[in-house]
Amino acid sequence: MTSEDVLDFGLAKGYNDMILECRKFSNNSGVKTDLQFLSVKGYRGVLAVISAILGTLITFPSIRLGQLNARLMNSPSAWVQLLTHFNMLTPLLLAFSWVRPVVKEHFMSQVNISEFGFQCIQIWLVLTMLLVRLLTIKLYTQSHLDTAQDFMANMHREAGKISYKHIQAKISYTFQYSGVVVLQILTPAIILCQICLIFYSLHVIPSSLPPPTSPRASHVIPSFNEMTSSIRGIFPRSFLTSLLNYFLWWILSCSTGISLLASGYNHLTSSA
């Protein structure tokens, strides 16, 4: 993986904190465990496998998004083109915010903001981007429905006769597939929103339940709090935050890269 001097996720610090907490938990509980399976190479290998699975899940939705972006860039409306460029380039700019020499060091040194404050700014920018994409979902849906009109226009250029059933099946398929297209557009956004909500719950919501009001629950809630605190103690906040930062960056960069490639390919093939 890339060095922490370039892409700052805090993975190394989170891994070291997790190993330290695992050893403390092992010593306190009296359970002897072998931590050799939690080596750095194994940790990075697990992250690579999970990253490959996430990349596979968002590949086809990103290709679909790139195709629709290429269609919307040909729109005569300047506002539609502006929103399309915003949806295309904003995730790429947000992915660069994790690059330490480019953004993080200069921004944090000039604004004098903490690490947690910078992460909160990143989360709010991602949520703003997702809100704009949600508001422009109608444009993407209409762009997909316009493919039926393009199909009708291309039929006049083809030689020979085309049956009425073939035309009806093609047009009905376009309208029936619109729900799948909407789901494909929202799939990366849903995953990103879930990661942002997990980050919020990790740093804002308390790890223990409030004191019980019922006498029957007085002996249940303390034991539950002890169990949850011991489990969360094995995975410290720095470890979970580093994973959230990494997966957030990975989904943004992967979906944006595939979408830009698909948009460029569609633009070249349509203009040829």
Side-chain angles (χ1 to χ4, degrees):
M1 290 187 178
T2 310
S3 174
E4 292 284 342
D5 296 333
V6 180
L7 292 174
D8 186 20
F9 306 120
L11 291 174
K13 182 179 180 302
Y15 171 78
N16 294 329
D17 293 342
M18 183 195 65
I19 294 296
L20 182 61
E21 293 296 333
C22 287
R23 290 174 179 172
K24 290 181 179 179
F25 178 79
S26 177
N27 295 329
N28 295 331
S29 60
V31 179
K32 295 182 179 180
T33 57
D34 188 9
L35 298 177
Q36 293 181 356
F37 69 96
L38 295 174
S39 61
V40 178
K41 293 183 179 180
Y43 175 61
R44 293 182 177 181
V46 172
L47 287 181
V49 172
I50 298 176
S51 301
I53 295 174
L54 287 176
T56 304
L57 291 176
I58 64 177
T59 294
F60 192 74
S62 301
I63 293 175
R64 175 69 65 181
L65 184 62
Q67 293 174 351
L68 297 179
N69 283 330
R71 291 180 57 86
L72 289 175
M73 284 191 296
N74 297 325
S75 175
S77 176
W79 284 104
V80 174
Q81 294 182 3
L82 180 63
L83 290 175
T84 304
H85 283 85
F86 179 85
N87 287 329
M88 289 177 58
L89 300 179
T90 303
L92 183 63
L93 297 177
L94 289 176
F96 274 106
S97 64
W98 276 273
V99 180
R100 178 177 288 273
V102 177
V103 177
K104 200 167 185 179
E105 288 185 351
H106 299 284
F107 183 81
M108 293 182 64
S109 60
Q110 293 180 2
V111 183
N112 193 14
I113 192 174
S114 62
E115 183 78 17
F116 176 72
F118 184 78
Q119 292 176 357
C120 291
I121 292 176
Q122 290 176 321
I123 295 298
W124 281 110
L125 290 177
V126 171
L127 291 176
T128 304
M129 179 203 68
L130 298 179
L131 179 61
V132 174
R133 181 172 296 184
L134 181 63
L135 294 177
T136 56
I137 191 66
K138 181 180 178 181
L139 296 177
Y140 288 102
T141 307
Q142 186 62 44
S143 177
H144 168 71
L145 296 178
D146 290 341
T147 56
Q149 184 178 359
D150 296 340
F151 173 74
M152 295 294 296
N154 292 330
M155 282 196 314
H156 297 288
R157 306 174 187 175
E158 298 179 359
K161 296 182 179 180
I162 301 177
S163 62
Y164 175 76
K165 292 184 178 180
H166 177 69
I167 299 174
Q168 185 181 12
K170 181 66 177 179
I171 295 176
S172 61
Y173 172 78
T174 302
F175 283 86
Q176 292 173 1
Y177 199 70
S178 59
V180 180
V181 172
V182 172
L183 183 61
Q184 290 174 348
I185 296 172
L186 293 179
T187 296
I190 292 173
I191 299 176
L192 291 173
C193 185
Q194 290 293 328
I195 295 177
C196 294
L197 292 178
I198 294 174
F199 181 87
Y200 174 81
S201 63
L202 182 64
H203 290 273
V204 176
I205 298 178
S207 57
S208 60
L209 296 176
T213 57
S214 175
R216 292 184 177 181
S218 60
H219 66 282
V220 177
I221 292 183
S223 60
F224 180 78
N225 288 335
E226 293 176 359
M227 180 182 65
T228 55
S229 61
S230 61
I231 294 176
R232 294 191 62 171
I234 301 176
F235 303 102
R237 184 173 296 178
S238 59
F239 172 73
L240 298 177
T241 302
S242 64
L243 290 180
L244 294 177
N245 284 327
Y246 170 73
F247 287 123
L248 195 62
W249 170 84
W250 170 251
I251 295 174
L252 284 173
S253 58
C254 185
S255 61
T256 306
I258 297 174
S259 178
L260 290 176
L261 289 175
S263 179
Y265 176 79
N266 194 15
H267 181 71
L268 291 176
T269 53
S270 61
S271 60

